[in-house]
Amino acid sequence: MAKKVQFVETVLRDANQSLIATRLPYDKFEPILETIDKAGYYACECWGGATFDVCLRYLHEDPWERLRKIRAKLPNTKLQMLLRGQNVLGYAHYPDDFVKLFVQKAVENGIDVIRIFDALNDVNNLKVAMEATVKAGAIASGTISYTTSPVHTHKKYVEMVNDLKSMGASTICIKDMAGIMGPQEAYDLVSAIKDAHPDLPIDLHTHSTTGLAFMTYLKAVEAGVDIIDTAISPFSGGTSQPATETLAYALRQLGYEVDLNDDATKAMADYFKGVRDEFVADGTLMPKSMATDTQCLTYQVPGGMLSNLLSQLKQMNALDKFDEALVETPKVRADLGYPPLVTPTSQMVGVQAVRNVLDGQRYKTVSKEIKAYCRGEYGQTPAPIDPAIQKQILGDEQPLSVRYADTLEPIVDKTRQQLAGVAKCDEDVLSYIAFPNLAEKFFAERKEKEENCVTYTITEC
Ligand code: CO
């Protein structure tokens, strides 16, 4: 029997985020939602990541309402969101009561699959969100933030999968956020996880940035991967995912079963071509984002980080230090215990490398983020932080001995009371905790428009 490969469509979330800074308003994709629903995807990734922030900040949309509208138009397709573990949709760690309520409300408003990851792969930062997802009746997709280092061995990744499974993961996602995973690495890692957990479905997520993605997916499929993340062709390639239709075509030719409806994907491609052209015309979609960039294969740092390094050095009039900063970057990463280079650790490591080079002395100047990292506020690092450097940064201060979130006071009830008369529902309370200034502004605008959040009522204030 032909092995089946399933697809997650990313056009509404990751492709939108990677190519056009998440600027796709609901109205622009509403007309095509019913067609997406007929296409036969495993899931449609449409929420979480930066979508929540951008809805409030730039699009003047209530992210919760957006989710409910998508849900109503896609009754037959699982809706997926991306959640940053204990950081939910932000960069700070939140108390557990917020994480739990956020997950519960996301599921109540229509989410079926929650992909939960942590920048350090510390499972203690995933546990509360994973358990809340299972409790709410949704699919918890336990996620590995993929990176390479001497301590990121297959054995270690398989151990992480064991932990994720025991926390209730019903699928595993390997998330290659930088597009640095090559075909052989994909084959070997998927094989290692499949050997240990033959019945646990695996989803591979990568980006086309370096041009490896099609080959990487193909070898992952040969190793038994069950689900791949792709974007409809007009929103594919470059910093986005590889094209849905291309992979469907190639995999069918190779004898795999692909349940996508070609009429529906064709209609989607026709539709999104028009949308793409609008974003090209107004300059939001830049040619650079669509191009192949192999620099990060040479330097082994994600593409976004290279451009950050360049712009930092430019600001400081020190572009001549670029090569030195590039050499310093992997050294800082090693000192800090080999964190995966993903937001926010990529910025922290990059800024520190530049500092070390410009100061002519290592760790003379340290950001408050690096200090917090050394205190253990971001979680357990993949390898121990270099003890001498940790001591140099922390002085007599002791690193945390417990999970950082355990030191935080509950926040939900307090905020409900604070927002009495302003918040119309718990969703409002959650938006406010996540992005207080943006939510406040949004509530004021909404009041003006006299919009209502009729379906949900405040339960406890
Ligand atoms: Co991604």
Side-chain angles (χ1 to χ4, degrees):
M1 218 174 76
K3 156 93 184 170
K4 185 161 152 172
V5 181
Q6 292 186 284
F7 286 61
V8 170
E9 175 59 52
T10 68
V11 66
L12 301 183
R13 208 286 302 172
D14 203 351
N16 170 21
Q17 186 172 327
S18 302
L19 293 178
I20 54 168
T22 334
R23 294 302 199 277
L24 200 55
Y26 175 78
D27 293 346
K28 278 255 187 294
F29 61 79
E30 190 196 30
I32 201 66
L33 285 175
E34 275 137 346
T35 309
I36 298 179
D37 196 36
K38 292 189 192 110
Y41 288 107
Y42 166 77
C44 172
E45 190 189 57
C46 62
W47 211 63
T51 62
F52 198 95
D53 180 345
V54 173
C55 273
L56 288 170
R57 194 182 298 267
Y58 299 111
L59 302 176
H60 307 281
E61 284 184 40
D62 180 347
W64 300 98
E65 195 189 333
R66 178 179 173 119
L67 172 57
R68 291 192 290 271
K69 286 186 195 159
I70 299 173
R71 173 78 288 167
K73 298 261 182 187
L74 272 84
N76 305 305
T77 306
K78 287 197 276 291
L79 301 187
Q80 180 172 302
M81 75 170 290
L82 180 66
L83 188 107
R84 199 183 282 276
Q86 203 70 26
N87 298 0
V88 185
L89 300 175
Y91 303 119
H93 281 243
Y94 291 105
D96 290 342
D97 65 336
F98 172 71
V99 178
K100 287 178 193 168
L101 186 64
F102 196 98
V103 165
Q104 183 199 323
K105 288 292 169 184
V107 175
E108 276 179 29
N109 281 277
I111 289 294
D112 302 287
V113 183
I114 308 190
R115 178 176 290 174
I116 306 165
F117 78 104
D118 176 62
L120 292 179
N121 284 328
D122 180 355
V123 290
N124 292 316
N125 289 337
L126 301 174
K127 193 164 189 264
V128 173
M130 295 281 296
E131 288 174 356
T133 303
V134 175
K135 193 176 163 206
I139 294 172
S141 187
T143 301
I144 293 169
S145 299
Y146 174 77
T147 189
T148 55
S149 89
V151 296
H152 286 90
T153 57
H154 288 165
K155 185 167 166 273
K156 191 147 177 180
Y157 281 133
V158 169
E159 279 167 15
M160 185 177 177
V161 173
N162 300 343
D163 288 342
L164 293 171
K165 200 177 172 194
S166 70
M167 289 175 184
S170 43
T171 67
I172 294 297
C173 172
I174 306 168
K175 180 176 161 65
D176 173 26
M177 50 275 167
I180 54 165
M181 180 187 271
Q184 190 65 47
E185 291 162 313
Y187 187 88
D188 293 344
L189 180 55
V190 170
S191 301
I193 298 172
K194 280 285 174 190
D195 282 347
H197 298 281
D199 299 324
L200 197 53
I202 304 177
D203 177 318
L204 180 59
H205 174 90
T206 189
H207 288 253
S208 295
T209 325
T210 59
L212 288 169
F214 284 116
M215 296 175 277
T216 303
Y217 277 157
L218 179 56
K219 293 304 282 185
V221 166
E222 285 177 13
V225 98
D226 302 272
I227 306 161
I228 53 177
D229 288 11
T230 61
I232 200 72
S233 51
F235 272 82
S236 73
T239 53
S240 174
Q241 276 70 49
T244 306
E245 308 96 294
T246 313
L247 272 150
Y249 184 93
L251 291 176
R252 279 182 186 137
Q253 192 173 79
L254 290 164
Y256 295 98
E257 186 190 332
V258 173
D259 286 349
L260 289 179
N261 175 331
D262 294 342
D263 292 336
T265 54
K266 181 175 181 309
M268 284 171 64
D270 289 344
Y271 180 83
F272 278 106
K273 262 178 211 158
V275 178
R276 179 191 60 191
D277 291 348
E278 285 178 44
F279 283 102
V280 169
D282 73 9
T284 310
L285 177 52
M286 290 178 288
K288 197 177 79 178
S289 308
M290 300 297 279
T292 302
D293 183 346
T294 55
Q295 274 195 102
C296 38
L297 297 179
T298 320
Y299 299 121
Q300 288 294 310
V301 299
M305 229 182 126
L306 283 175
S307 43
N308 280 348
L309 278 183
L310 273 172
S311 68
Q312 261 189 79
L313 290 167
K314 206 170 163 188
Q315 267 175 29
M316 294 168 177
N317 239 339
L319 271 179
D320 57 315
K321 302 275 189 201
F322 183 64
D323 288 344
E324 255 180 276
L326 262 184
V327 174
E328 177 65 6
T329 300
K331 288 184 189 160
V332 171
R333 182 176 176 235
D335 294 340
L336 296 180
Y338 296 106
L341 294 176
V342 58
T343 312
T345 46
S346 52
Q347 286 88 333
M348 286 154 57
V349 169
V351 168
Q352 191 60 50
V354 168
R355 274 288 28 126
N356 289 358
V357 167
L358 292 185
D359 288 346
Q361 192 186 333
R362 310 188 75 222
Y363 304 101
K364 187 180 162 204
T365 330
V366 172
S367 66
K368 68 176 197 307
E369 287 82 12
I370 290 277
K371 235 182 174 166
Y373 178 95
C374 288
R375 270 198 301 269
E377 289 184 16
Y378 288 81
Q380 205 179 349
T381 53
I385 301 171
D386 182 303
I389 288 162
Q390 192 174 22
K391 176 88 183 134
Q392 185 190 339
I393 292 170
L394 289 186
D396 291 334
E397 218 180 318
Q398 286 302 309
L400 281 174
S401 54
V402 293
R403 190 182 63 123
Y404 179 58
D406 288 333
T407 67
L408 303 173
E409 293 288 326
I411 194 170
V412 172
D413 277 338
K414 213 170 63 187
T415 314
R416 279 180 182 138
Q417 281 159 27
Q418 185 192 333
L419 294 181
V422 178
K424 299 186 179 207
C425 50
D426 268 349
E427 285 78 353
D428 281 353
V429 173
L430 294 167
S431 300
Y432 180 85
I433 296 170
F435 300 101
N437 299 335
L438 296 180
E440 218 160 55
K441 221 175 107 226
F442 176 78
F443 297 153
E445 280 170 17
R446 181 178 61 182
K447 205 174 171 198
E448 257 175 51
K449 284 194 245 161
E450 292 190 312
E451 276 182 10
N452 277 317
C453 177
V454 282
T455 335
Y456 301 92
T457 46
I458 304 169
T459 47
E460 281 176 57
C461 51

